[in-house]
Amino acid sequence: MNEIKPFSHPVYVTRPLLPDLEETGKMLEVIWESGYLTNNGKTARQLEFELERFLKVKHLSLFSNGTAALQIACKVLGLSGEVITTPFTFAATAHCLSWCNLKPVFCDIDDADMNIDPGRIEEMITPDTSAILPVHVFGYPCRVDEISGIAEKHGLKVIYDAAHAFGVETGGRPVGTYGDMTMFSFHATKVFHTIEGGALSCSSADLKKRAGLLRNFGIINEECVIEPGTNAKLNEIQAAVGLLVLKLVEEEIGKRRILTNIYRSILEGIPGLKYSTDMKGVVHNYSYFIIRVDAGEYGMTRDRLCEKLKEYNIFARKYFYPLCSQFPCYCSLPSSDPQNLPVANRVAGEVLALPLFGGMSEDDAGRICRIISYIRLNNTEVSHE
Ligand code: T4K
């Protein structure tokens, strides 16, 4: 195989979807004229309305970020004691529990979808368990029906972390309609974003009302503050960016689908690499492209491949290594014992998120695959142009 040159520019795991600057300027002019910059303004209310339509959910509240939204969901649902969650997720999932004085209890994951394994949840339940916090990791939906069944049987609340699952549907329903509350992240690295931001989809108007109160200090009106809330409001400028990004999001998902299929078709021929495919009955959003490296078969560990890719200017990411259960703040919890989490510990050593964003060209996706193949066959240092 001919030598392949590194990219001349860094290729990151993702790049934010950027709306037209002139159009953004026009939106900002309107906000400037109004002199109204935050506190549940007109633009934020419009975005809330449009997202309810887009995500096909009835009661959606916007927040300053997904982490704050998760914390507020825990407060609104009055959780206490222990919450069963996955260790294979971003730090925010476990941290939101700690910030609410809740104890994360880590449950192992399913090798197939890398989500919490419903078959392992019941054995993690104790008299102190108040809820389950599953994550639709990389936008692949959890086994929601099994989770609902367990929650109902044991009287537990369910909050879904759908940070990666904007627009995803399963079992003929949008992900935001499962569980008591569902959190979406609108961080710049997400398929849909408001630079920083997030939302809660609530299963009732009452829950939405309470979440709205808590994001604004618990203020009912100028003379009545009903409970200790926080400040987790989305401002008007970020809401305006959200409205513009929302117009582009379907096209973005379409481009990512094409790139995903290019990755799949070329990587299929490389021994030792696995990747997820589309699931029957699921509307996907192609938020991440994850490969799993079998070191024995591929001839190199995931860590070595990740380092080699950097020599080609490709900045893949080891999402989600280390596991939350390996963090110093959680590693001494009984549920963090690697013997309790054999699948998660293995998977965390195999995964690598390859670059995936609409602004990437189809040629770039093909070239990344060829580099991955080349690295396998030529385990040597590269020469830069
Ligand atoms: N639950 C789950 C399952 C989550 O994944 C997350 C967030 C949350 C909860 C919490 O939601 P938020 O509170 O964030 O709304 C990134 C994101 O910062 C984080 O939001 C996201 N998960 C996580 C999976 O990815 P890092 O530490 O990997 O970000 P960073 O800065 O290394 O960015 C990754 C790459 O993206 C960079 O190499 C370059 C590119 N990038 C990044 C930014 C910020 C850009 O090109 N432009 C940018 O503006 O966490």
Side-chain angles (χ1 to χ4, degrees):
M1 193 185 239
N2 289 336
E3 191 184 349
I4 301 182
K5 292 280 174 207
F7 280 90
S8 57
H9 58 280
V11 184
Y12 295 110
V13 70
T14 192
R15 299 297 278 165
L17 183 50
L18 291 172
D20 179 69
L21 197 52
E22 209 174 307
E23 238 191 298
T24 310
K26 282 186 195 146
M27 292 279 277
L28 292 187
E29 270 173 32
V30 177
I31 294 169
W32 255 235
E33 293 266 300
S34 77
Y36 210 94
L37 301 184
T38 184
N39 287 7
N40 203 23
K42 201 175 150 194
T43 325
R45 289 199 309 274
Q46 190 188 339
L47 181 62
E48 222 163 62
F49 173 76
E50 296 209 5
L51 283 173
E52 279 176 353
R53 285 205 323 196
F54 190 93
L55 295 173
K56 302 179 203 155
V57 296
K58 279 199 187 128
H59 313 288
L60 184 123
S61 262
L62 290 174
F63 294 89
S64 50
N65 57 68
T67 307
L70 269 183
Q71 287 165 5
I72 287 180
C74 293
K75 293 280 182 197
V76 168
L77 293 172
L79 304 190
S80 62
E82 300 177 356
V83 176
I84 298 170
T85 191
T86 168
F88 188 68
T89 180
F90 190 59
T93 315
H95 286 352
C96 86
L97 298 174
S98 291
W99 274 61
C100 293
N101 288 323
L102 298 161
K103 181 175 166 188
V105 173
F106 297 113
C107 177
D108 207 5
I109 61 170
D110 184 335
D111 183 77
D113 59 13
M114 298 182 273
N115 287 323
I116 196 166
D117 180 353
R120 291 285 321 275
I121 293 176
E122 280 193 288
E123 67 192 84
M124 312 304 294
I125 298 174
T126 75
D128 290 335
T129 309
S130 61
I132 310 169
L133 171 51
V135 179
H136 300 299
V137 82
F138 308 131
Y140 278 75
C142 295
R143 278 146 61 190
V144 287
D145 292 334
E146 286 170 66
I147 292 170
S148 298
I150 295 166
E152 254 171 56
K153 182 171 158 198
H154 295 274
L156 305 176
K157 304 283 185 200
V158 180
I159 302 173
Y160 280 104
D161 178 335
H164 306 165
F166 185 87
V168 171
E169 298 184 17
T170 185
R173 279 166 56 184
V175 286
T177 61
Y178 291 97
D180 295 279
M181 299 178 106
T182 298
M183 179 281 275
F184 295 95
S185 165
F186 301 155
H187 184 262
T189 53
K190 299 296 186 293
V191 169
F192 166 80
H193 75 91
T194 56
I195 305 175
E196 290 271 4
L200 284 176
S201 164
C202 311
S203 55
S204 74
D206 280 352
L207 289 178
K208 170 173 167 157
K209 194 169 164 201
R210 185 89 197 293
L213 261 180
L214 288 182
R215 82 177 164 196
N216 188 32
F217 314 100
I219 295 176
I220 296 263
N221 61 43
E222 283 175 32
E223 295 184 4
C224 178
V225 179
I226 197 166
E227 59 180 324
T230 185
N231 181 359
K233 292 165 273 135
L234 189 76
N235 67 53
E236 289 291 277
I237 296 168
Q238 286 175 240
V241 170
L243 284 170
L244 294 168
V245 171
L246 192 58
K247 289 202 262 177
L248 307 173
V249 78
E250 277 179 326
E251 191 187 340
E252 170 74 13
I253 291 172
K255 287 181 184 163
R256 286 167 180 243
R257 184 190 304 113
I258 292 170
L259 295 168
T260 297
N261 285 331
I262 291 173
Y263 270 141
R264 285 173 179 165
S265 64
I266 307 180
L267 294 178
E268 198 183 1
I270 304 179
L273 298 185
K274 273 200 301 191
Y275 49 81
S276 303
T277 51
D278 285 1
M279 290 164 70
K280 204 163 164 257
V282 171
V283 176
H284 289 280
N285 69 359
Y286 306 96
S287 50
Y288 292 87
F289 187 82
I290 307 294
I291 56 169
R292 286 169 61 179
V293 184
D294 177 331
E297 234 192 297
Y298 180 72
M300 184 184 297
T301 61
R302 179 277 314 272
D303 287 355
R304 171 91 175 139
L305 172 60
C306 186
E307 286 309 306
K308 291 296 290 179
L309 285 171
K310 286 181 191 162
E311 295 175 13
Y312 289 86
N313 242 339
I314 300 166
F315 295 89
R317 292 294 290 265
K318 300 178 205 173
Y319 293 139
F320 286 105
Y321 170 84
L323 297 171
C324 292
S325 51
Q326 294 171 318
F327 297 170
C329 48
Y330 303 122
C331 68
S332 56
L333 292 173
S335 65
S336 295
D337 184 339
Q339 287 188 3
N340 179 48
L341 307 167
V343 182
N345 276 279
R346 178 171 41 76
V347 169
E350 297 174 350
V351 279
L352 194 59
L354 298 184
L356 182 67
F357 48 95
M360 209 173 110
S361 73
E362 296 177 25
D363 282 351
D364 285 352
R367 187 165 164 195
I368 291 169
C369 294
R370 284 194 299 281
I371 289 172
I372 290 173
S373 178
Y374 184 81
I375 287 174
R376 176 176 176 268
L377 299 170
N378 305 270
N379 200 352
T380 52
E381 302 307 311
V382 295
S383 62
H384 286 257
E385 284 159 306

